[in-house]
């Protein structure tokens, strides 16, 4: 279990507790945060869960899969950053307690 902060494009901040093993898209839905549509249901096939992770936390994430990489590359160039990830591909674990996700505006 750890705390996750979601920052919506409009600036609304949500701080929620997430159990280990849950992906951060499902955790958002569980907490009625709907700024990421999550159209593909978490299969790394739509990028509507695109978020930007603060560097401190980005460095602690598992490497991204090829599917995640290519899905992010398909996004508008001006929206993707060096610390972009797909929330559905991030699973909560103890080391991520305190992670901050900025939800991308283009979702
Ligand atoms: S929900 Fe589709 S890529 Fe994350």
């Amino acid at each position: 279990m750890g705390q996750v902060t979601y920052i919506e494009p409009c600036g609304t901040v949500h701080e929620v507790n997430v159990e280990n093993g849950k992906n951060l898209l499902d955790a958002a839905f569980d907490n009625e945060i709907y700024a990421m549509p999550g159209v593909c249901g978490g299969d790394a096939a739509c990028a509507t869960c695109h978020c930007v992770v603060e560097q401190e936390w980005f460095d602690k994430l598992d490497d991204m899969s090829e599917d995640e990489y290519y899905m992010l590359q398909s996004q508008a160039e001006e929206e993707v950053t060096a610390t972009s990830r797909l929330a559905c591909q991030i699973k909560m674990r103890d080391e991520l307690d305190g992670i901050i996700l900025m939800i991308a505006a283009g979702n």
Side-chain angles (χ1 to χ4, degrees):
M1 177 82 72
Q3 182 176 294
V4 178
T5 299
Y6 297 89
I7 304 174
E8 296 191 39
C10 65
T12 300
V13 176
H14 305 268
E15 292 180 349
V16 302
N17 291 316
V18 178
E19 65 194 71
N20 285 353
K22 180 159 289 242
N23 79 58
L24 298 190
L25 174 67
D26 287 344
F29 290 155
D30 288 352
N31 288 281
E32 301 182 351
I33 301 165
Y34 299 117
M36 297 180 285
V39 172
C40 77
D43 288 337
C46 72
T48 61
C49 63
H50 174 203
C51 56
V52 176
V53 183
E54 291 202 346
Q55 187 72 52
E56 170 189 359
W57 302 106
F58 183 85
D59 293 340
K60 296 180 180 180
L61 299 178
D62 294 332
D63 292 340
M64 67 176 77
S65 67
E66 269 189 32
D67 286 346
E68 183 177 3
Y69 175 80
Y70 287 116
M71 194 50 56
L72 283 168
Q73 295 310 304
S74 74
Q75 298 303 291
E77 193 174 301
E78 63 274 10
E79 291 179 9
V80 178
T81 75
T83 62
S84 285
R85 294 296 299 256
L86 299 178
C88 71
Q89 301 301 299
I90 302 172
K91 285 196 175 154
M92 192 62 196
R93 54 185 159 80
D94 289 341
E95 295 81 2
L96 299 181
D97 179 25
I99 190 170
I100 299 170
L101 302 182
M102 287 159 284
I103 299 172
N107 289 331

